[in-house]
Amino acid sequence: MNSSRRSFLEAGLAIPALLGTAPTFVATAQTSAAATSKDSSFDPWVELHGENLRHNVQEISRRVASRPILAVIKNNGYGMGVTNVAQLLEAQPEIFGFAVVKLHEAMSLRDAGIRKPILLLGPLDERNLEDAAARSIMPMIYTPLGAALDKITAKMQKPIPLHICIDTGIGRVGVPYRDAPPLIRDLANRKSVQIQGTMMTFTEDPDFDKEQLRRFHETCASLEKDGIALGKKHAASSFSLFQHPDAFLDAVRPGMAVYGIYSENEFRHTSIMDLRPSISLKARVIYVKKLRKGDCAGYNRAYLAKDDVWVATLPVGHADGWPRNTALARDKGAKVRINGDLYPVVASVSASHCIVEVGREERVKIGDVATFFDWQPGSRPEDVSESCGASVYDLTMHLNPLLPRRIV
């Protein structure tokens, strides 16, 4: 598969959004000035489409027959800003909670007033575990932490809710399924613990996934036969929403699908769900010029004008999250939308700039808005992915967290 799982952005930097107003800048303190000078600023920005986000949740709910949705908003909310996503979705009845990987993201959600359950998928030491419990953040457990949980519970005077992760074959984290029964029995027998969920993760190898699910069912069944309550069982990610309806279980755990992006390009050509991208990257044209035949552009003279041609420079580069390979070659590269037309990215993508070929006529001007990807046909993240090979995960998760975010 072309799309890979990434863990890149760590900071949930966006200030909580003022919902109900549009468009609104949601920005860090460092970039808040852009909100008041946007008409003269050429800095790129990210737009968040709240209506599309809610539409996607409803589509997922329809697909899974109204099972509860644990929305994965890790890695800065897949580029949207972790608190932005949570605040836009908390009122949705289909969402029963949120999942993140970094402790500071979980803390930022509580600081922003998020009240729904938060599952922390990342690792914790004993001190972290106590900090999480104090903020009602549920840990994902897969190691013998019973004694530490007892100690924290004695201090807090209440049991700690948690989810248990079983490794059925992905080999990443989780107690191996063969070793899971004694660990889970030990936790279940402690008064300090409330098992509220039990989970697994697919390898996304269609054939092996079936074996993984069999292992999970078998392990859970043996424990439940002994009267051990495992809480909500969940395994289905965005990939599984399309591939494994038999894995919807008690709840689902989608990430990319929540943001309206098909995790694999082939999924978009099915009629299983109508997903609408809820995130876009935009900037304004900073320079337009005419190259004469034989002129070049980009490092190492990556682009050579075969005829007289107009080009436009955009203030977006790989430091902003725009992949270098969007300008690999003339016949294989991404396109950027300006004034309703798509123009190919040429030359090379530097840290802060890229260049698009406009054509024989001067059809764009300085200040025109350029859309790198959004929710329109031809400009979707999947279109960029198909045109140049960039992963849709790279396009969203790698967006610079310092870029201002607007809710539209």
Side-chain angles (χ1 to χ4, degrees):
M1 299 296 180
N2 289 331
S3 300
S4 59
R5 307 297 182 189
R6 302 293 178 121
S7 297
F8 182 75
L9 298 178
E10 296 186 0
L13 295 171
I15 291 175
L18 298 174
L19 303 183
T21 61
T24 301
F25 259 108
V26 186
T28 63
Q30 296 95 317
T31 60
S32 60
T36 57
S37 60
K38 59 181 179 173
D39 292 334
S40 61
S41 172
F42 287 93
D43 291 337
W45 70 92
V46 177
E47 287 186 357
L48 322 177
H49 199 296
E51 182 179 344
N52 283 359
L53 194 68
R54 289 183 283 267
H55 165 85
N56 298 328
V57 167
Q58 291 166 358
E59 277 290 288
I60 295 168
S61 182
R62 177 188 59 78
R63 169 65 172 159
V64 302
S66 299
R67 287 175 173 84
I69 298 171
L70 178 64
V72 179
I73 59 175
K74 63 183 180 180
N75 303 326
N76 203 32
Y78 283 62
M80 289 183 64
V82 64
T83 58
N84 297 338
V85 178
Q87 290 184 320
L88 284 166
L89 290 183
E90 183 163 40
Q92 294 294 113
E94 301 92 345
I95 301 292
F96 88 87
F98 302 100
V100 296
V101 171
K102 307 298 183 186
L103 178 58
H104 65 75
E105 286 193 323
M107 293 290 193
S108 71
L109 292 178
R110 288 293 184 233
D111 290 342
I114 299 302
R115 296 179 178 274
K116 282 190 173 179
I118 298 172
L119 175 62
L120 182 60
L121 303 173
L124 294 166
D125 60 22
E126 187 170 335
R127 179 180 60 80
N128 297 151
L129 192 59
E130 184 172 354
D131 291 340
R135 301 298 299 276
S136 298
I137 296 166
M138 292 185 296
M140 180 183 75
I141 299 295
Y142 47 90
T143 56
L145 287 172
L149 293 167
D150 286 345
K151 186 186 303 183
I152 295 169
T153 295
K155 186 182 300 185
M156 294 177 54
Q157 293 297 302
K158 62 179 182 180
I160 297 173
L162 53 82
H163 288 222
I164 297 172
C165 180
I166 300 175
D167 175 17
T168 59
I170 196 170
R172 190 169 59 187
V173 296
V175 55
Y177 70 98
R178 296 183 185 90
D179 304 325
L183 173 69
I184 295 175
R185 288 192 179 96
D186 174 74
L187 291 170
N189 289 330
R190 293 178 183 270
K191 294 181 180 179
S192 61
V193 170
Q194 287 182 347
I195 300 176
Q196 294 200 352
T198 305
M199 60 183 286
M200 59 155 281
T201 300
F202 286 110
T203 63
E204 299 183 3
D205 177 311
D207 293 329
F208 185 61
D209 286 352
K210 297 175 183 177
E211 171 61 16
Q212 283 189 272
L213 189 59
R214 186 197 67 76
R215 293 172 179 177
F216 187 72
H217 280 312
E218 186 177 88
T219 303
C220 292
S222 68
L223 292 162
E224 290 173 327
K225 185 178 179 180
D226 294 338
I228 295 175
L230 298 176
K232 286 185 174 68
K233 295 190 284 292
H234 52 101
S237 63
S238 296
F239 180 93
S240 304
L241 295 179
F242 294 91
Q243 297 290 82
H244 302 304
D246 54 340
F248 292 168
L249 308 180
D250 301 320
V252 293
R253 198 177 67 244
M256 190 61 86
V258 173
Y259 310 98
I261 302 170
Y262 296 95
S263 55
E264 305 293 343
N265 286 331
E266 58 263 35
F267 294 162
R268 67 187 295 207
H269 305 300
T270 70
S271 57
I272 292 175
M273 286 190 292
D274 170 33
L275 299 180
R276 301 174 186 174
S278 56
I279 183 170
S280 68
L281 174 63
K282 297 185 178 182
R284 277 172 284 276
V285 176
I286 62 170
Y287 193 44
V288 180
K289 58 183 172 293
K290 186 176 184 179
L291 297 181
R292 302 295 181 182
K293 181 178 178 179
D295 287 348
C296 61
Y299 288 117
N300 297 316
R301 302 180 69 211
Y303 177 78
L304 186 66
K306 296 179 180 179
D307 296 291
D308 291 357
V309 66
W310 287 89
V311 296
T313 303
L314 309 175
V316 174
H318 59 79
D320 302 300
W322 185 238
R324 286 186 174 94
N325 57 341
T326 52
L328 276 179
R330 181 69 171 80
D331 59 348
K332 184 182 180 184
K335 294 182 178 180
V336 173
R337 186 186 299 277
I338 306 174
N339 299 330
D341 294 315
L342 293 170
Y343 299 105
V345 180
V346 297
S348 57
V349 176
S350 63
S352 305
H353 300 93
C354 65
I355 299 170
V356 297
E357 183 186 87
V358 175
R360 294 187 177 184
E361 299 178 5
E362 185 181 7
R363 303 177 62 187
V364 305
K365 63 182 185 298
I366 293 175
D368 285 347
V369 173
T371 300
F372 291 78
F373 57 83
D374 65 357
W375 35 85
Q376 297 184 66
S379 295
R380 293 177 61 113
E382 301 93 337
D383 295 320
V384 176
S385 175
E386 288 184 334
S387 67
C388 68
S391 165
V392 290
Y393 290 88
D394 290 337
L395 291 173
T396 58
M397 288 190 183
H398 291 195
L399 288 172
N400 191 321
L402 294 178
L403 295 177
R405 268 74 175 162
R406 299 183 192 178
I407 296 175
V408 299

